[in-house]
Amino acid sequence: PPDASDLLRRIGRMHARLHCADPSSMSEGRPVAAMDCLALSAALMPHIGAGIASLRRLLRNRPSVAAPVLCHGDFGLEQILHDDGALSLVDFDLCHAGEAAADIARFLVALADDLPNGIDPRVAEAKYLKGYAEVRTLPDTARMRWFRAEAVAARMLVCLRKDQAHPCRIGRLLAQIDALVPA
């Protein structure tokens, strides 16, 4: 679209509206076993050992459980239809009651890993988060950081499972790890 930043803001608002829906009729989602993802990724890609070690440190202390929201489970650009300015969300087979921070983090990791050409990842993330915050309060920074690390670990495994372990893709994921680790 001509104004991708406005579109990402609208997507953020759409995601927040989903999180405002009543999750009581949904079953709870099974959390990703992040440490299992890391162990398998480390075994299959020994050259990324430093990134795995950083993720392990970040994932040691899981935040306390937050009130569940209605999560999409696979919220990503490929799940959003854009037609004549209208946005429609599809593919609800992984929908569950869960952590808003986890659902947001999965989207942000996927977005950074698969941005449309010409869009700066920091701008894209900021626009999405701005839109989300217009509808619903964002989870706190520490919670977002932990779930972002978990999402990176899971995304690495998806890349391997789908034979997408291209060095550029793994490099982009490792760059996200570096951004999460405090200096």
Side-chain angles (χ1 to χ4, degrees), residues 102-182:
D103 214 32
I104 294 167
R106 282 188 295 269
F107 174 74
L108 292 175
V109 168
L111 180 66
D113 185 38
D114 202 21
L115 268 175
N117 288 336
I119 300 175
D120 181 274
R122 292 174 302 244
V123 171
E125 181 174 323
K127 292 295 185 178
Y128 162 81
L129 291 172
K130 180 180 180 180
Y132 189 99
E134 289 171 2
V135 174
R136 187 171 191 278
T137 302
L138 285 163
D140 69 69
T141 304
R143 181 173 292 283
M144 284 300 301
R145 193 172 142 136
W146 191 92
F147 281 102
R148 187 101 176 236
E150 180 186 57
V152 167
R155 184 82 172 181
M156 280 185 185
L157 204 53
V158 167
C159 287
L160 291 171
R161 184 178 68 224
K162 293 186 176 181
D163 194 30
Q164 299 175 9
H166 188 277
C168 290
R169 174 160 271 184
I170 298 302
R172 286 193 302 264
L173 289 168
L174 291 173
Q176 289 192 58
I177 296 168
D178 291 341
L180 293 170
V181 176

Side-chain angles (χ1 to χ4, degrees), residues 38-125:
L38 291 178
L40 186 54
S41 295
L44 295 172
M45 298 180 293
H47 62 285
I48 62 169
I52 297 293
S54 295
L55 270 177
R56 275 198 181 108
R57 282 192 301 280
L58 283 169
L59 292 169
R60 276 195 189 119
N61 299 314
R62 184 182 178 95
S64 60
V65 177
V69 301
L70 181 61
C71 291
H72 184 272
D74 191 23
F75 194 87
L77 294 179
E78 71 281 357
Q79 308 299 351
I80 299 166
L81 304 177
H82 181 248
D83 184 35
D84 252 357
L87 297 178
S88 301
L89 184 59
V90 297
D91 194 11
F92 289 91
D93 57 324
L94 297 177
C95 202
H96 63 279
E99 288 267 0
D103 214 32
I104 294 167
R106 282 188 295 269
F107 174 74
L108 292 175
V109 168
L111 180 66
D113 185 38
D114 202 21
L115 268 175
N117 288 336
I119 300 175
D120 181 274
R122 292 174 302 244
V123 171
E125 181 174 323

